Amino acid sequence: MIIDSHQHMMLPTELQIEKLEEAGVDKAILFCTAPHPEKARTLSALQGEMSSLYHILSGSGSKEDTMQRMKENIGELMQALHKYPDRFYGFGSVPLALSLEDTVHWIEKHIVSGGLKGIGEFTPGSDEQVRQLETIFQALAHFPILPVWVHTFQPVTLTGIKILMGLTQKYPKVPVIFGHMGGYHWMEAVDFAKSVPNAYLDLSAAFSTLAARIAITELPDKCLFGSDAPYGEPWLSRQMIEFLSPSSEIAEKVLGGNISGLIG
């Protein structure tokens, strides 16, 4: 089975399914989203959609506003999962800066009870927000294995990536997906994942095809095909994996086998 392990909610959902069919992809893992860039047809329209994302990354808004937005986004996600259970899995959002008790409660209520397969995408806007992920890691000790997906391209710094690496080593039972395989710092991410069993690499928005080729060759069991749709195209992302993989067997792992094992 071919699984696109990283897509954001697109509207309408039928557009998302159309792209899956064009790419020959069986299922996708959907992540919550604030902007909907698929609606944009001009640069100014795209800038309008992305302004909401920049607002979130800047840390603007109260904790209550953030929690309400996440609840609404998860509700939107669950509607798509219930309507098309044969095409989608889901990862759900969890707020940072909650107490451990409140974080456990959130994961139980909004992630586990809904049958979601993991948590994320976390997009830390500062090194301090990366450090706040430790409460998430601590809370996950109360549940069966749930992977954590963390954005590691800009605005996350190399310092932030190293903080995440430390947490990954400190909590070896938590699978950690390094989203976009570290961005500019992909060599550090690949080197780290080679020696740390619970570290995985998302290949969506890879820094270059060279980076993706090295990752697939060095870590065929830890690389995950993802398109980051609507920011990327599933068809092109699948073609990249098939072109760069040293063998069809490795391509099958990266295109679905690895993520299938990770989410059970």
Side-chain angles (χ1 to χ4, degrees), residues 64-76:
E64 291 73 20
D65 289 341
T66 298
M67 293 172 66
Q68 182 58 37
R69 171 179 51 79
M70 287 186 175
K71 289 176 183 178
E72 292 171 358
N73 290 344
I74 291 174
E76 181 181 67

Side-chain angles (χ1 to χ4, degrees), residues 98-108 135 139 142-143:
L98 298 181
S99 68
L100 177 58
E101 181 180 358
D102 287 343
T103 301
V104 170
H105 177 71
W106 180 284
I107 294 173
E108 173 61 40
T135 303
H142 297 263
F143 302 98

Side-chain angles (χ1 to χ4, degrees), residues 181-192:
M181 57 179 298
Y184 300 121
H185 309 292
W186 64 270
M187 285 189 280
E188 289 91 338
V190 171
D191 193 48
F192 177 76

